[in-house]
Amino acid sequence: MENTLRELRRERNLTQEELARALGVTRQTIIAIENNKYDPSLRLALKISHFFKRPVEDIFKI
């Protein structure tokens, strides 16, 4: 699944560590999602969506 997490994070000038802390996950999780090596759980995808105030389908694309 492709995603726009890296671009959204950079638009807000956030580090991977800052985003990870805000979402309650590890920096390694953010790295894996950004590199399309890990698909987040529905719960995490919804947290990301809420954090960026964007629909889930705008962030994660099949």
Side-chain angles (χ1 to χ4, degrees), residues 1-4 36 39 54-62:
M1 175 178 357
E2 294 181 23
N3 66 76
T4 59
N36 297 310
D39 292 335
R54 300 267 178 101
V56 172
E57 53 273 6
D58 285 357
I59 301 170
F60 299 98
K61 304 193 189 299
I62 298 176

Side-chain angles (χ1 to χ4, degrees), residues 17-57:
E17 184 65 37
E18 291 168 333
L19 180 57
R21 247 186 269 126
L23 297 172
V25 299
T26 65
R27 180 174 168 261
Q28 287 76 17
T29 299
I30 299 301
I31 291 168
I33 295 170
E34 286 185 353
N35 290 322
N36 297 310
K37 304 235 183 241
Y38 173 74
D39 292 335
S41 66
L42 179 56
R43 176 174 274 178
L44 180 53
L46 290 171
K47 277 177 127 175
I48 293 168
S49 171
H50 180 67
F51 181 84
F52 287 107
K53 296 179 176 68
R54 300 267 178 101
V56 172
E57 53 273 6

